[in-house]
Amino acid sequence: MAKLAVLASGNGSNFQALADAIIADGRHSVVLLACDKAEAYALERAKNLGVPTVLVSYKGRPRPEAEAQLHDALTAAGADIVALAGFMRILSANFVHQWAGRLVNVHPSILPAWPGAHAIERAYEAGEPELGVTVHYVDAGMDTGPIIGQVRVPRGQTLDDTEALIHKAEHSLYPRLVLELLNRV
Ligand code: GAR
């Protein structure tokens, strides 16, 4: 049985999809949800699922201090794999190095196209025909690192439709690939 920890900053729909898939699969467990924002709805989802949570605030403290708290919480939880799920912070090279090969991210574009925040909106508004989702190992860049898997998603009629299609694709691709990683631990 392998242990997954998830890092999120907001809504947490990808955290929910990961947790639901792992619970349904039954072989592994979600041991921690770490959030950098007290108001993140992801925290509520974790409480409803009975997943332990930790709030790692970056406010008014240097990044190394926040990352040390994060690292200690992940280590104490015994995390084998750490999945970023809408965690909107750049992790330092030092932190990434400590979790190398065990730290993964989901991003709503066909990377390397459209890294960064609001990727769906920016790509859609620019008329990008190649929309989709990427799951990748994390390095110290923003949405860079070796790609594990991608899925293409057609543009919808509207931005809202397109966002819904991309989120649906994330919620299918990310749990499938994370389960594969957990199976290999
Ligand atoms: C997701 O679309 C995820 O791919 C994106 O943030 C959203 C979080 O939604 N991540 C990035 O843009 C990373 N650069 P969620 O909180 O509902 O999972």
Side-chain angles (χ1 to χ4, degrees):
M1 187 186 91
K3 294 177 179 171
L4 178 74
V6 181
L7 273 52
S9 299
N11 177 25
S13 69
N14 281 283
F15 161 68
Q16 181 86 48
L18 288 166
D20 288 346
I22 285 165
I23 290 163
D25 177 85
R27 286 174 290 176
H28 309 293
S29 59
V30 185
V31 291
L32 186 68
L33 172 75
C35 265
D36 61 324
K37 298 256 186 279
E39 67 279 13
Y41 184 59
L43 286 166
E44 202 63 35
R45 294 180 188 269
K47 276 169 201 144
N48 292 337
L49 287 161
V51 171
T53 62
V54 62
L55 177 64
V56 179
S57 177
Y58 280 60
K59 256 193 200 154
R61 65 201 293 218
R63 179 168 75 167
E65 192 182 302
E67 286 189 345
Q69 185 196 351
L70 195 51
H71 176 76
D72 288 349
L74 294 170
T75 304
D80 295 302
I81 303 285
V82 178
L84 308 188
F87 186 70
M88 304 308 265
R89 288 190 184 271
I90 305 281
L91 294 161
S92 70
N94 179 51
F95 182 93
V96 168
H97 180 71
Q98 286 173 309
W99 292 92
R102 297 182 290 159
L103 187 60
V104 297
N105 181 40
V106 64
H107 183 75
S109 77
I110 300 294
L111 289 172
W114 305 104
H118 311 296
I120 306 174
E121 189 180 344
R122 288 185 291 114
Y124 183 87
E125 300 295 352
E128 171 67 81
E130 288 271 281
L131 298 166
V133 175
T134 301
V135 174
H136 63 98
Y137 288 105
V138 176
D139 64 13
M142 183 168 58
D143 300 318
T144 53
I147 290 171
I148 301 169
Q150 292 181 310
V151 63
R152 289 178 201 287
V153 175
R155 288 172 69 87
Q157 296 284 324
T158 64
L159 174 59
D160 280 357
D161 291 345
T162 305
E163 284 182 338
L165 288 168
I166 289 179
H167 291 313
K168 192 170 169 214
E170 290 186 310
H171 300 162
S172 156
L173 181 72
Y174 203 21
R176 181 166 66 75
L177 296 181
V178 167
L179 269 170
E180 283 177 15
L181 295 176
L182 292 168
N183 288 340
R184 294 211 299 262
V185 168

